[in-house]
Amino acid sequence: MKNNILIAYYSWSGNTRNIARRIERETGGRLFEIEPAQPYTTDYRAAVAQAKKEIEAVFRPELQSMPNITSYTIAFIGTPIWWHTMAPPVATFIERFDLNGKTVVPFHTHGGGGVGSFEEDIAKMCPDATVTKASAHTTAEDLKPRRRLLPG
Ligand SMILES: Cc1cc2nc3c(=O)[nH]c(=O)nc-3n(C[C@H](O)[C@H](O)[C@H](O)COP(=O)(O)O)c2cc1C
């Protein structure tokens, strides 16, 4: 395992986890799942409504834990696109975790609506890191045949 590479991700329905695992296989980095202390409901419509409220309110949910890794120099950070940006638990993670001077590689999955403002948002939130252009992205459709998951 390469201790200089961290792969931190949140995933509600598994797509972003699949990408994170691919990155783990390809880089040998250390995988860390960002988990909100209070898991989101598994009901799609309710989750979409809750996410909208939280993103509008700039809410930062508590997390179950933070990774105990200090030696890393590269952090892949992955999120599903929620309302055109990162999911709130990922925002909490970015604000709490020391990314100063590190290289941040954002990655995401979306349901067909594209990356939205995620890349600009993450760059603004870690001004003292080198944020690369997202190097891994895909749509949910690339991963498994399923209906599109767009809000509304
Ligand atoms: C609360 C919520 C909001 C979403 N908002 C968007 C969106 O704004 N644009 C989009 O393309 N997909 C949106 N989606 C679809 C997800 O981005 C897509 O299904 C993604 O691959 C899910 O990743 P996950 O399986 O790791 O949770 C949303 C899904 C949920 C549950």
Side-chain angles (χ1 to χ4, degrees), residues 99-117:
L99 293 162
N100 227 321
K102 313 293 186 189
T103 297
V104 171
V105 189
F107 65 99
H108 68 276
T109 69
H110 62 76
V115 62
S117 61

Side-chain angles (χ1 to χ4, degrees), residues 9-18 40 43-52 55 79-85 108-116 138-141 143-144 146-151:
Y9 71 96
Y10 170 69
S11 185
W12 182 74
S13 56
N15 294 334
T16 310
R17 179 178 301 115
N18 287 340
Y40 287 89
D43 180 89
Y44 178 70
R45 285 194 174 278
V48 165
Q50 184 182 343
K52 183 170 198 273
I55 288 165
T79 185
I81 299 300
W82 279 11
W83 291 98
H84 315 294
T85 186
H108 68 276
T109 69
H110 62 76
V115 62
T138 186
T139 64
E141 288 74 20
L143 294 162
K144 52 188 168 192
R146 58 190 293 176
R147 81 189 160 84
R148 287 197 165 192
L149 293 179
L150 275 171

Side-chain angles (χ1 to χ4, degrees), residues 105-134:
V105 189
F107 65 99
H108 68 276
T109 69
H110 62 76
V115 62
S117 61
F118 169 52
E119 290 172 12
E120 287 90 44
D121 295 344
I122 190 169
K124 273 189 219 141
M125 285 168 73
C126 34
D128 299 317
T130 303
V131 182
T132 67
K133 279 294 279 174

